[in-house]
Amino acid sequence: MHAHQKFDTALNQLPLIAILRGLQAHEALAMGEALGSTGWTLIEVPLNSPDPLTSIATLASGLPQALVGAGTVLTPADVRNVHAAGGQLIVSPNFNPAVVREAVRLGLLCLPGIMTASEAFAALEAGATGLKLFPSEMISPAVVRALRAVLPADTRVFPVGGITPENMHSYLAAGASGFGIGSALYKSGMTANQVQAHAMNFISAYRAASFSH
């Protein structure tokens, strides 16, 4: 299954992206397996983590059913490094057209960070797979609804930053396609069992929220 098929499957089943900031390479497979055991298949290792490309390579080879990639991707060279490590997902805190174009050129999925309608349309025009709404602490569900009203109907939007099991419902009701989840799921020093428990809490909350709206 190639990257776009994995992404489409995840969007239908569990559109939650695990952001493993601070992940240590030696624990990458254990954390990935803990997530995979719950059905979680979207995994991002930010490039400002220790030895991130080793973690990405470990996860990509050890979890072939998962869509593994990098966050905090800031340059086209970063994109090439992630691709060489086996990553298939490029996530950025900002919109840089050169990063999006390089990801598209290499056949990778790309979710640039945007906050305004101007950034959103520019990112889509550059070829972005979807949009990371970041930081979502500054982007209320009302803003998501307003953006959703003007964006193409098939645009995938992912609020990221401060997402908890408690606030997912209001974002889903406003039109969010899924979420990126960081410190509420994983912090450096957690055990695989803790991450698995957090993952299951988020899955339960997501299913309840998506069913009710």
Side-chain angles (χ1 to χ4, degrees):
M1 190 164 36
H2 66 61
H4 289 272
Q5 288 174 310
K6 288 180 184 176
F7 192 57
D8 289 341
T9 299
L11 288 186
N12 288 328
Q13 295 178 358
L14 188 69
L16 305 179
I17 303 168
I19 303 170
L20 305 181
R21 188 179 306 280
L23 183 70
Q24 300 281 345
H26 67 83
E27 64 179 357
L29 189 58
M31 295 301 171
E33 288 175 341
L35 290 166
S37 71
T38 70
W40 203 300
T41 60
L42 302 175
I43 302 175
E44 163 197 335
V45 180
L47 291 183
N48 56 2
S49 303
D51 202 6
L53 296 172
T54 299
S55 293
I56 290 166
T58 299
L59 289 163
S61 61
L63 301 167
Q65 75 283 9
L67 181 64
V68 177
T72 321
V73 179
L74 303 179
T75 68
D78 287 340
V79 177
R80 291 189 290 274
N81 289 338
V82 172
H83 179 253
Q88 298 178 305
L89 176 66
I90 299 296
V91 184
S92 303
N94 62 322
F95 165 54
N96 178 337
V99 167
V100 175
R101 285 195 294 268
E102 189 68 357
V104 171
R105 184 183 76 81
L106 292 170
L108 308 182
L109 296 153
C110 186
L111 302 175
I114 65 97
M115 191 185 283
T116 67
S118 294
E119 290 175 325
F121 280 101
L124 293 174
E125 190 172 339
T129 312
L131 304 173
K132 170 182 173 176
L133 307 185
F134 179 79
S136 60
E137 291 96 335
M138 297 176 66
I139 304 170
S140 67
V143 174
V144 176
R145 188 175 285 107
L147 285 171
R148 179 57 89 193
V150 296
L151 291 170
D154 61 351
T155 305
R156 287 114 167 220
V157 296
F158 297 84
V160 179
I163 298 301
T164 66
E166 292 72 36
N167 64 14
M168 294 165 84
H169 176 268
S170 55
Y171 280 104
L172 286 170
S177 308
F179 301 93
I181 300 167
S183 58
L185 173 70
Y186 170 86
K187 288 193 188 84
S188 183
M190 282 184 181
T191 66
N193 285 340
Q194 288 174 306
V195 172
Q196 184 183 50
H198 289 165
M200 292 173 74
N201 285 343
F202 270 103
I203 290 169
S204 297
Y206 170 76
R207 293 204 168 128
S210 53
F211 179 78
S212 63
H213 92 268

